[in-house]
Amino acid sequence: MKFVDLLAMSLKNLSRRKLRTALTVLGVVIGTASIVVMVSLGIGLSEMNRELISSFGSLTEINVENPYSGDSSKDPLYLTEDVVKQMKRLPYVTDVYPMLQVNVLLQQGKYSSNVTLNGAPYEYLKKIPLGQGKLSDPSDKELKLIYGNAMIQWFTDSKGNNTYWETGQLPDVDFMGKPMFAIFDTDTYYQSQGGGEDAPKPPKKYLIKADGVVEGGVDDYNSYAYNVYTRLDLLETQLKKIFKKRAIPGQPTNKKGKPYRYLIYNSCIVNVDDVEHVETVQKKLTDMGFQASSNADWMKQSEQQSNMIQAVLGGIGAVSLFVAAIGIANTMMMSIYERTKEIGIIKVLGCDMKVIRNMFLLESGFIGFMGGVMGLLFSEGVSFAINHLLNVGQAMTGMSGNISRIPLWLAAASLAFAVFIGMAAGFFPALRAMKLSPLAAIRNE
């Protein structure tokens, strides 16, 4: 018998008992929808965690810092230019960006703010997305600043009042329109403000222009939002010019209290070619004696938790589909009892046993297919409703994006699984139909 004829006969048999078939399909619909929705929640949660962690920085970046050493008998280990060169030679490392941080007081009109100025290589600054302005050409030797999009929140008036968090109004600070006064020797500055005969002379103020402002609103968070950046080479030149032979604030000194002949970086950002190699490189950096951390650490823990959640949610949904499989088996068994005489006639006419088996497998498989398709459509509706409710409550939850996500592979896998469950549930009833005695089946009333 041709497959088309066999399929037509199976559909005709299912249509004889429309209500029973519809109720059996409904069980598969509920089971399929339960699995898809549950797993989609796990997938959405995992992807939202990944997106959240990625917003704090690239997953292929490793942050390296100077080690803490309480043993004064050993020579301290620092991030220097020579160490940076060693890191660049490590396998899988594509770039190393040394970072130098200094505390600076910025002033514009009556507004001021104490900020940490981050000196970074030009190649790193090129990666910062700017909403205003443009990064100067590398041939430009003038020190300029790049402001994070949320940095304006930290500026206060001369009395330290009327902050953005108190009034909800931004201070009248124009990063791009007006240059900023910068005081690098902040210790001397605050000592000079105390007055008295021993008060030192106020340090020199430097007028610095802006290269740009990071893209985004003042309340939008990204890894650059609350930082101020400038070129590392120009910052080093500026600091040497200001402090000369004196110790630069924040820079370590030797046992005699004198500054080193070279600058020591506060941290380094090590770029790895692939997220799969981050853990290997991170271990090598730790073995060198430095503190190394990455967003991949959080991601690994997050994915372990997400996998557990997906397994639990998927298991809950699988119970529903298992119950549906029992319903399919019951429907097939009832169909055999009702069609015992028909099966006997088919056998007497010389029909192949495999045809009888395949007929019942097709019927049960088609129940699974119909239930799977309708279950997927129902899952899409439930997923849309969940995401809509979440988007309405984003202001309260602090989350963004869809928490229920149904990728194409999940839809295809759930449909295939529904068909498989249907055919598996119909397998033993099909074997029973094959084993029926033709004469006994014909005599059956």
Side-chain angles (χ1 to χ4, degrees), residues 417-432:
F417 189 55
V419 174
F420 171 77
I421 287 293
M423 297 184 73
F427 181 72
F428 290 104
L431 290 181
R432 180 179 177 82

Side-chain angles (χ1 to χ4, degrees), residues 52-61 223 295:
L52 177 63
I53 294 172
S54 296
S55 69
F56 290 94
S58 171
L59 294 177
T60 57
E61 286 185 356
S223 56
N295 290 332

Side-chain angles (χ1 to χ4, degrees), residues 233-269:
D233 57 335
L234 300 181
L235 178 61
E236 290 178 349
T237 302
Q238 183 78 358
L239 292 175
K240 291 176 181 178
K241 175 183 176 183
I242 294 172
F243 293 95
K244 298 179 180 178
K245 295 183 178 181
R246 291 185 295 150
I248 299 173
Q251 285 285 301
T253 56
N254 58 27
K255 295 179 180 180
K256 296 180 179 180
K258 295 183 178 181
Y260 290 97
R261 290 180 287 104
Y262 46 84
L263 287 176
I264 294 168
Y265 304 119
N266 299 85
S267 63
C268 283
I269 296 177

Side-chain angles (χ1 to χ4, degrees), residues 152-347:
I152 194 171
Q153 299 178 8
W154 296 98
F155 280 80
T156 61
D157 61 20
S158 56
K159 297 181 180 180
N161 300 323
N162 302 323
T163 64
Y164 172 69
W165 297 279
E166 293 173 342
T167 64
Q169 296 181 350
L170 293 173
D172 186 18
V173 175
D174 185 358
F175 290 135
M176 299 303 300
K178 301 177 182 178
M180 190 79 64
F181 280 106
I183 299 174
F184 290 87
D185 192 354
T186 54
D187 291 343
T188 304
Y189 172 78
Y190 288 116
Q191 292 174 11
S192 67
Q193 300 302 300
E197 297 180 357
D198 297 332
K201 182 180 178 181
K204 183 179 178 180
K205 298 181 180 181
Y206 296 86
L207 203 59
I208 303 178
K209 298 178 182 179
D211 249 352
V213 179
V214 176
E215 67 179 8
V218 294
D219 293 316
D220 296 334
Y221 178 79
N222 57 69
S223 56
Y224 309 104
Y226 292 96
N227 294 311
V228 182
Y229 297 92
T230 190
R231 277 175 53 182
L232 176 62
D233 57 335
L234 300 181
L235 178 61
E236 290 178 349
T237 302
Q238 183 78 358
L239 292 175
K240 291 176 181 178
K241 175 183 176 183
I242 294 172
F243 293 95
K244 298 179 180 178
K245 295 183 178 181
R246 291 185 295 150
I248 299 173
Q251 285 285 301
T253 56
N254 58 27
K255 295 179 180 180
K256 296 180 179 180
K258 295 183 178 181
Y260 290 97
R261 290 180 287 104
Y262 46 84
L263 287 176
I264 294 168
Y265 304 119
N266 299 85
S267 63
C268 283
I269 296 177
V270 178
N271 272 7
V272 183
D273 57 359
D274 190 272
V275 68
E276 299 295 330
H277 299 144
V278 169
E279 187 175 355
T280 301
V281 176
Q282 189 170 331
K283 185 179 184 305
K284 289 183 178 294
L285 294 170
T286 305
D287 291 341
M288 291 174 64
F290 296 98
Q291 300 182 64
S293 61
S294 67
N295 290 332
D297 295 336
W298 300 1
M299 180 60 65
K300 187 176 181 180
Q301 297 176 5
S302 174
E303 287 183 344
Q304 289 176 346
Q305 295 175 355
S306 297
N307 290 337
M308 292 179 60
I309 293 173
Q310 284 189 44
V312 172
L313 294 177
I316 294 173
V319 171
S320 301
L321 198 55
F322 177 72
V323 174
I326 297 175
I328 295 174
N330 179 64
T331 298
M332 291 295 99
M333 290 300 296
M334 291 297 295
S335 179
I336 290 172
Y337 289 133
E338 293 172 355
R339 294 154 57 190
T340 301
K341 195 168 186 177
E342 176 187 334
I343 295 169
I345 293 172
I346 292 175
K347 286 187 174 184

